[in-house]
Amino acid sequence: TLDPVVQSYVLYYQSKADYEEAEKLMISAQNSISPKLSKQLLTSLYKSWSQSEASNSNYDLAISLMEKALSYCSDAEPEDSEL
């Protein structure tokens, strides 16, 4: 499966604060990886991105991104949710 490859690249882009590129990758790979991993990665991506925007005082965008994170998190298993 592509799960480990996609996960590695998404985490790499997040570590570089290149959230837009991580999001593009997730959108293009979403149907090629497991649904559970997809939800986990999207939750993590939007949470990190939201925190970054909040630290830069971009509160409206931060709230919007956190809402996206929560929308993916709500479908995840309870033990998978770390928001």
Side-chain angles (χ1 to χ4, degrees), residues 38-48 69 72-73 83:
S38 178
K39 289 175 186 178
Q40 290 172 340
L41 289 174
L42 286 166
T43 299
S44 174
L45 168 63
Y46 289 125
K47 178 184 171 191
S48 296
Y72 288 105
C73 179
L83 284 179

Side-chain angles (χ1 to χ4, degrees), residues 14-45:
Q14 276 185 249
S15 74
K16 300 293 183 187
D18 192 348
Y19 301 108
E20 292 89 355
E21 197 62 35
E23 182 182 44
K24 286 179 196 175
L25 174 61
M26 280 303 305
I27 289 168
S28 66
Q30 200 165 11
N31 293 327
S32 301
I33 62 174
S34 73
K36 181 177 180 179
L37 180 62
S38 178
K39 289 175 186 178
Q40 290 172 340
L41 289 174
L42 286 166
T43 299
S44 174
L45 168 63

